[in-house]
Amino acid sequence: MGTDWSLHAVAPIAGTGEGVQAALDRVVAQMSQWVADSDLSRFNRAPAGAWQAIPAEFAAVVAAGLDIGNRSSGAFSLTLGELSEVWGFGAAGPVDAIPETAAPQSGLEFDPDTRRIRRSEGARLDLSGIAKGYGVDLAAEWLLGEGVRHFLLEVGGELRGEGIRPDGQPWWVDVEVPPSWPGAGWRVALHDLSVATSGDYRRGLDIDGQHYSHSFDPRTGRPIANGVCSATVLHRSCMMADGWATALTVLGAEAGIALADKQDLAACILANGREHVSRGWREMLD
């Protein structure tokens, strides 16, 4: 995943670290666009239009991503792989010129009964907007299944907290804010809750004095330019928090908060020097 992970656990069992690593390795082996023999890479290399069976974990991420895409009116897409590559955010590495791109192909079909997918010509899978959150969930569910009930798990800035700390307190974490943001970030209690933040300050492309975000609007095929610095979502599922944070980043502050209210999401968007919070976020303050 190009990042590291950490775990704080109360009374961990023998082999806890190895178990978490094995869960994350399974996600990489199935869904990484940087691993040549991953299930995702093989799918992207296969001829368009052919149905291909995928593992259960892969299928769960595809189902969730398609759902978020539908509920966000296309602000989230799983088929941005071609855009990621030509803009220098994929496996091929950085570019030194602005590419000429059109709106990406969004044709992805999924049969949940047979766990098969197929793509249209030009549509390449990229699960980087949701798979890391799923990795957190997969490792967390393994911990819970092994009887580890109280822990805080973090993978590349996405976190999930279960139970409480040994002192009886919940797992308190500080929400990341952009380095240039003038205000203080929120401190949230992750008690059986996850948090994910999407921000244009983490990665980007600078060409001829212009900064281009690594977040793309699937509807235009271009990097976003809506003033959003970051979007944070709190959710029971880290996968859903991850995916929704990406979608809200693309939508922008006004439309993003309106959709968060409609979907009962606890969300905070930092944009154009202002903080915008959803109804669900405000309710958590009570």
Side-chain angles (χ1 to χ4, degrees), residues 13-260:
I13 62 171
T16 291
E18 292 81 358
V20 170
Q21 186 65 58
L24 299 178
D25 287 345
R26 191 152 74 249
V27 175
V28 170
Q30 293 183 22
M31 308 176 213
S32 174
Q33 70 192 82
W34 291 276
V35 176
D37 62 349
S38 71
D39 292 284
L40 181 145
S41 294
R42 290 197 299 269
F43 173 76
N44 282 339
R45 288 196 302 268
W51 284 103
Q52 295 187 56
I54 56 176
E57 295 87 354
F58 195 160
V61 174
V62 168
L66 290 174
D67 180 53
I68 293 173
N70 288 333
R71 288 196 276 161
S72 65
S73 299
F76 183 86
S77 174
L78 299 175
T79 55
L80 298 180
E82 186 65 27
L83 283 177
S84 295
E85 288 295 335
V86 299
W87 278 86
F89 300 118
V95 297
D96 55 9
I98 300 172
E100 295 182 6
T101 57
Q105 297 293 318
S106 59
L108 180 68
E109 294 182 72
F110 173 53
D111 184 346
D113 295 328
T114 61
R115 293 207 310 262
R116 295 187 305 159
I117 56 175
R118 66 176 176 181
R119 62 184 179 88
S120 61
E121 189 68 39
R124 297 177 61 187
L125 277 182
D126 179 350
L127 304 184
S128 57
I130 192 171
K132 187 167 61 174
Y134 178 78
V136 174
D137 286 335
L138 189 65
E141 293 304 321
W142 178 85
L143 287 166
L144 292 170
E146 295 296 316
V148 182
R149 310 298 300 177
H150 306 278
F151 60 84
L152 176 68
L153 176 62
E154 179 264 342
V155 180
E158 323 289 33
L159 299 100
R160 176 166 161 172
E162 294 287 335
I164 57 176
R165 301 186 336 180
D167 60 4
Q169 287 285 316
W171 300 100
W172 290 100
V173 301
D174 292 328
V175 174
E176 182 181 19
V177 296
S180 61
W181 191 256
W186 291 94
R187 176 163 289 184
V188 299
L190 295 187
H191 176 65
D192 301 343
L193 197 63
S194 300
V195 62
T197 297
S198 175
D200 69 351
Y201 55 93
R202 290 180 175 175
R203 296 178 64 200
L205 181 66
D206 293 297
I207 296 179
D208 296 332
Q210 179 70 39
H211 179 78
Y212 297 90
S213 173
H214 79 288
S215 297
F216 294 94
D217 188 333
R219 301 163 299 183
T220 65
R222 301 284 298 179
I224 62 169
N226 56 17
V228 172
C229 296
S230 72
T232 298
V233 175
L234 297 168
H235 199 283
R236 180 71 181 98
S237 160
C238 196
M239 172 179 66
M240 299 304 289
D242 194 8
W244 274 116
T246 302
L248 298 185
T249 297
V250 170
L251 285 169
E254 184 175 339
I257 291 299
L259 182 60

